[in-house]
Amino acid sequence: MNSWKKIGILAFSALSLGIVACSGSDGSPGPAGAAGAAGADGAAGPAGAGVASAGLIVPNVGLLDRELDVTITAQSVDFTTAAPTLDFGTGVTTSKVQVLSPTTLVVHLAVDAKATTGARDVKITAGAAALTSKLGFTVAAPLDLTVTPSAIAQAGLNDIAAQNLDYPHAFDTSGSFVMVVDGFPLGSLSVTATHADG
């Protein structure tokens, strides 16, 4: 009987030691394992939407009391899905809008003789796209005149340099004239006339 008690106590003691041994604090972590193989590429995302913007306007100058055709390009817009409308400002009317491609169109312009000269914004609307070409078009006079000296005096001598900006309409580029107001000659005008292309 005593031998069974001793074996029982011994077994109980070994179990207690095992429990005490298992209840200690964690040791330091071991070294990291090797990295796994790279996963397969995911599916491609949708194409990004570009920012719609107006591009070039060629030619970008219209002369007073003249008509012309201009070509307009844009980016990230589709002129074929919605009829574009254009606004060149007061004194410039548009007609005959032709869509050449999703991003290119041609429009016929008529510049009024009394339109304000200078650079102006051009507004283009195509469906939901509203584009603006800041100062993209200029209205100008057909002749650029420079008077030297700048003030014309009676009996004085002045030089006038006239540059023709209207390519299709040439003029005589030589001559001297006398300026007459109410029958009285104000002075002699020496005129030098050239065309804008040389």
Side-chain angles (χ1 to χ4, degrees):
M1 196 66 153
N2 286 336
S3 61
W4 286 106
K5 286 183 182 178
K6 289 179 183 178
I7 292 172
I9 292 170
L10 181 62
F12 178 74
S13 297
L15 178 64
S16 298
L17 286 174
I19 292 173
V20 170
C22 290
S23 64
S25 61
D26 293 339
S28 59
D41 292 340
V51 177
S53 61
L56 295 176
I57 299 175
V58 180
N60 63 351
V61 177
L63 303 179
L64 295 173
D65 200 26
R66 302 290 190 269
E67 296 187 16
L68 71 156
D69 291 327
V70 299
T71 301
I72 300 173
T73 60
Q75 295 177 344
S76 300
V77 67
D78 190 349
F79 291 134
T80 63
T81 59
T85 59
L86 299 106
D87 181 2
F88 280 74
T90 305
V92 180
T93 58
T94 63
S95 62
K96 302 176 187 173
V97 178
Q98 297 177 315
V99 175
L100 301 182
S101 76
T103 58
T104 306
L105 56 87
V106 174
V107 59
H108 185 78
L109 303 180
V111 182
D112 190 89
K114 296 181 181 179
T116 303
T117 57
R120 53 179 63 197
D121 295 348
V122 177
K123 297 176 182 177
I124 307 164
T125 303
L131 317 176
T132 300
S133 176
K134 297 294 285 183
L135 304 179
F137 188 76
T138 299
V139 174
L143 282 178
D144 182 21
L145 298 176
T146 304
V147 180
T148 309
S150 58
I152 298 177
Q154 184 174 351
L157 179 64
N158 294 88
D159 290 329
I160 294 180
Q163 185 179 40
N164 182 21
L165 302 177
D166 192 0
Y167 296 101
H169 303 92
F171 57 64
D172 187 1
T173 59
S174 63
S176 292
F177 306 91
V178 174
M179 187 176 212
V180 177
V181 175
D182 291 334
F184 295 97
L186 286 181
S188 174
L189 302 176
S190 174
V191 178
T192 303
T194 59
H195 297 290
D197 58 355

